[in-house]
Structures are given as structure tokens and as C-alpha cells.
């Protein structure tokens, strides 16, 4: 699960995604505003998950129904985030399967 957050002067927002490579696309598994957003972020941190701040991405993901897979229009943005997270968690790993390990 990868939560993304956005804090505004009025209230915060958070969206959590789950990605299973066997699935068609990442899925929105939690989203909310205010206190719920804070609980999503706290729960993610309790489990050692990375929390990414991206107001634009959160705004788009908030429009996706809960338990729905993200739409194709968001594939690239979410894929770039997941690739970046993978690189953080696996230093030296190849960026592409055909690349040798660094």
C-alpha cells in the first residue's frame, strides 16, 4: 500500500494504493479527508510504508472509486511513482529486466 497525501489550509486528503503485479492495475484501497486522511497516513507509517506527498496526484486519485483500479489515464503517473519507490527499496537493482544489476 502506498499512501499519497495532500495538505490544504482547510483539510488534508490521503489516498492509499495497493499494487499486485498479477492484477490489471493498482487499486485504491483507502481514501479520505481530514481525520480519516490522518488515520490513513498514520496506519501506513505504522506498517513502515512510504508516504508520498503529491497534491496533483492525490486530487486525481480522490476521483477514483474506493476498491476500483486506477484508470489508464493515471497509469504513467502511478507507474513512475512505483518505479521510484522500487528504486528506493532496492538500491542497485536494474531499472529494466534486461539491464544488468548495478
Amino acid at each position: 500500500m502506498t499512501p499519497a497525501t495532500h495538505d490544504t489550509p482547510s483539510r488534508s486528503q490521503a489516498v492509499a494504493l495497493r499494487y499486485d503485479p498479477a492484477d490489471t492495475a493498482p487499486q485504491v484501497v483507502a481514501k479520505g479527508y481530514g481525520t480519516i486522511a490522518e488515520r490513513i497516513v498514520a496506519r501506513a507509517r505504522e506498517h513502515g510504508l512510504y508516504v508520498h506527498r503529491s497534491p496533483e496526484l492525490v486530487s486525481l486519485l480522490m476521483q477514483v472509486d474506493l476498491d476500483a483500479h486506477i484508470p489508464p489515464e493515471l497509469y504513467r503517473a502511478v507507474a513512475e511513482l512505483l518505479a521510484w519507490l522500487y528504486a528506493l527499496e532496492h538500491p542497485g537493482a536494474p531499472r529494466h529486466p534486461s539491464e544488468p544489476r548495478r
Side-chain angles (χ1 to χ4, degrees), residues 22-61:
D23 214 345
T24 58
Q27 181 181 19
V28 173
V29 294
K31 65 180 187 172
Y33 297 93
T35 304
I36 293 174
E38 293 167 12
R39 288 169 52 195
I40 291 168
V41 171
R43 184 80 184 246
R45 288 186 173 142
E46 286 171 12
H47 291 278
L49 299 174
Y50 182 78
V51 176
H52 178 73
R53 292 186 183 273
S54 175
E56 298 83 9
L57 185 56
V58 170
S59 178
L60 294 169
L61 290 170

Side-chain angles (χ1 to χ4, degrees), residues 5-18:
T5 66
H6 170 54
D7 296 321
T8 63
S10 57
R11 64 182 176 170
S12 58
Q13 304 176 56
V15 177
L17 299 176
R18 175 177 51 212

